[in-house]
Amino acid sequence: MDLILKNARLVGAEDSVTDIGIDKGKVVALSPELSADGETIDLGGRLVSSGFVETHIHLDKSCILDRCKSDRGDLEEAIAEAAKAKLAFTPEDVHARAKRTLEKAILQGTTHMRTHLEVDPGVGLRSLEGVMPLIKEYAWAIDLDICVFPQEGLLNNPGTDELMMEALKRGCRVVGGAPYTDSNPPGQIDRVFEMAREFDIDIDMHLDFGPTADNMDLEHVCRRTDEHKYGGRVAIGHVTRATSLSMPAFEATAKRLADSGVTLTVLPSTDLFLMGRNHTHDHNVPRGVVPAHKLLHHGVNCTLSSNNILNPFTPFGDCSPLRMANLYANICQVGKQSDMKACFDMVTRRPAHLMRLKDYGAAVGKSADLIVLDAAEPAMAVAELTPVLYAFKRGRQTVSRQPATLHRPQ
């Protein structure tokens, strides 16, 4: 075999250790005492999982803090500042910043990523031209696909529709939206569904990003999902308006999402940073982060993701999905071990389901896209924010990190 990982604790079977045999990029054997020749790494009982899956991140506008201000720290300022910065983007500039962010994600154990890219008359297709080469350049470490969307409106922004169509013709496999910036939010949603059906691609929208439950577009998305039989192919991100729903309304929303097969992605860092800015009091400020683990109990597929890295939408970030899981668990007061484990699932198998990754999983016959965490089980990996010690893409080692060493006095 090409590689044998000995004494591993697999997610879902943490009570015992097993050996993982890898050959020609695939997991070919799982056995407590595997007898085979090949390079061997003894993991000493550490946790092995399929790689982290990042489904909502903006490579194109990452690392632009030096070009923008974030004085008010609200959504309107972030959109305006990013819009100004985009005017000066070049493919080379976008490529360099996106590369820096992508490498951070790889070092954090991410093996699959969907990046959301803005297209509009201001930036044209320059961001796409900067990011698209990274798909091949980094195929050795990560599978990258692109979702194009109109951050500054679609129907109210002439020329954007044509640019989105051109991007889809060039091979982008997901189409998105941001209806809350459009003069006609339902109309934008309808147009996005039209594009998706024309190219037979999935949908991943920014949706209902605001402080109150007024004028939510979630029902319209679910209705269109049902009409077009697109269940399992639609994701919505943010939905911070849902945090203002009463519990009966929240549960009804959960049922609607589950029945339609729409996935909800929570962006803990961005949602926490931008929401609550409109609060008129200086105390009890709303957090604006949807309690996704409660939606899971109603059958909704939910994921956690980083969203923005070092820009006015989120002026921090290290591209760690596990940090997002830990941050989310803190914000939403997750205490039960089963819910803590669910936080781990929301950065691994659940986003893999969102992206419809058929070759994902630490099982015989699946691609050996694996990570090793300095933990014994998933809930504690989230609770302790444990480091990724190894990462493998199709069986080839891509990341290694030494555990911290305590130097005691002699």
Side-chain angles (χ1 to χ4, degrees):
M1 295 181 185
D2 292 333
L3 178 66
I4 300 128
L5 303 178
K6 297 193 72 67
N7 298 312
R9 294 186 190 275
L10 286 173
V11 172
E14 302 91 17
D15 292 338
S16 61
V17 295
T18 190
D19 297 345
I20 305 171
I22 297 168
D23 197 50
K24 296 180 176 60
K26 298 282 187 180
V27 175
V28 295
L30 297 172
S31 173
E33 294 184 10
L34 186 60
S35 178
D37 294 327
E39 179 187 355
T40 300
I41 301 176
D42 191 335
L43 302 182
R46 291 186 173 90
L47 185 68
V48 174
S49 168
S50 295
F52 293 130
V53 182
E54 182 84 77
T55 67
H56 193 127
I57 192 168
H58 296 264
L59 293 180
D60 56 334
K61 58 186 181 188
S62 65
C63 307
I64 57 171
L65 273 181
D66 58 336
R67 314 175 194 186
C68 303
K69 65 179 182 180
S70 184
D71 296 338
R72 298 196 312 271
D74 57 24
L75 178 61
E76 291 73 22
E77 180 186 54
I79 292 174
E81 286 295 305
K84 287 191 291 185
K86 280 192 303 184
L87 296 176
F89 283 4
T90 65
E92 295 77 17
D93 164 52
V94 172
H95 184 272
R97 289 183 291 100
K99 177 179 177 179
R100 173 184 166 191
T101 304
L102 190 64
E103 289 187 359
K104 283 185 178 182
I106 293 167
L107 287 168
Q108 298 288 7
T110 299
T111 58
H112 296 81
M113 176 183 286
R114 172 181 293 173
T115 181
H116 294 240
L117 295 187
E118 299 178 19
V119 292
D120 54 53
V123 72
L125 296 176
R126 297 193 299 278
S127 290
L128 177 66
E129 292 164 358
V131 170
M132 190 161 271
L134 295 172
I135 296 174
K136 288 186 178 180
E137 288 176 30
Y138 283 87
W140 56 271
I142 192 167
D143 289 333
L144 175 66
D145 71 356
I146 297 173
C147 172
V148 290
F149 82 107
Q151 175 68 83
E152 297 169 41
L154 177 59
L155 305 183
N156 60 310
N157 201 358
T160 302
D161 192 299
E162 292 81 359
L163 287 166
M164 288 183 64
M165 290 293 287
E166 177 60 25
L168 295 176
K169 290 174 183 175
R170 293 191 187 188
C172 297
R173 300 307 303 155
V174 189
V175 62
Y180 50 84
T181 65
D182 208 297
S183 56
N184 180 5
Q188 182 183 124
I189 293 167
D190 293 346
R191 179 60 184 138
V192 168
F193 269 89
E194 288 175 2
M195 292 180 182
R197 294 179 70 208
E198 180 174 345
F199 288 88
D200 189 22
I201 56 177
D202 291 356
I203 294 170
D204 198 334
M205 289 186 179
H206 301 63
L207 199 76
D208 290 333
F209 198 16
T212 70
D214 302 328
N215 304 314
M216 289 182 67
D217 293 312
L218 183 148
E219 171 59 33
H220 191 77
V221 169
C222 289
R223 189 182 309 119
R224 290 292 179 260
T225 301
D226 293 341
E227 290 174 0
H228 299 307
K229 296 180 174 56
Y230 242 61
R233 302 188 66 178
V234 177
I236 53 177
H238 296 296
V239 197
T240 56
R241 292 185 182 276
T243 61
S244 297
L245 293 170
S246 66
M247 188 49 63
F250 181 85
E251 292 176 348
T253 297
K255 185 178 187 307
R256 189 72 179 95
L257 289 169
D259 289 347
S260 294
V262 173
T263 294
L264 190 148
T265 298
V266 174
L267 297 315
S269 190
T270 300
D271 296 347
L272 185 64
F273 179 73
L274 292 177
M275 291 298 102
R277 301 288 184 170
N278 65 315
H279 196 58
T280 56
H281 306 295
D282 59 1
H283 59 282
N284 286 338
V285 177
R287 312 318 291 153
V289 178
V290 177
H293 66 289
K294 295 181 179 180
L295 292 174
L296 297 179
H297 298 161
H298 293 275
V300 182
N301 188 42
C302 294
T303 71
L304 304 170
S305 212
S306 295
N307 195 35
N308 284 285
I309 304 293
L310 302 176
N311 69 20
F313 293 86
T314 319
F316 23 72
D318 61 359
C319 302
S320 168
L322 196 62
R323 189 180 301 282
M324 288 301 103
N326 177 280
L327 177 62
Y328 169 85
N330 276 272
I331 300 164
C332 292
Q333 300 175 317
V334 174
K336 292 181 180 178
Q337 287 297 292
S338 58
D339 286 339
M340 196 75 77
K341 166 61 166 60
C343 292
F344 189 88
D345 292 342
M346 286 193 281
V347 293
T348 51
R349 69 175 184 85
R350 288 187 173 277
H353 180 73
L354 182 161
M355 292 182 68
R356 300 196 291 149
L357 302 178
K358 294 181 173 58
D359 199 28
Y360 183 88
V364 172
K366 301 292 187 180
S367 181
D369 299 339
L370 305 173
I371 56 175
V372 179
L373 292 153
D374 197 8
E377 50 98 5
M380 290 308 295
V382 173
E384 296 184 298
L385 197 54
T386 54
V388 173
L389 299 183
Y390 298 95
F392 304 88
K393 186 64 178 175
R394 289 179 285 275
R396 178 188 174 276
Q397 185 173 324
T398 56
V399 174
S400 64
R401 182 180 282 109
Q402 291 296 317
T405 300
L406 194 64
H407 296 275
R408 301 182 185 277
Q410 296 297 322

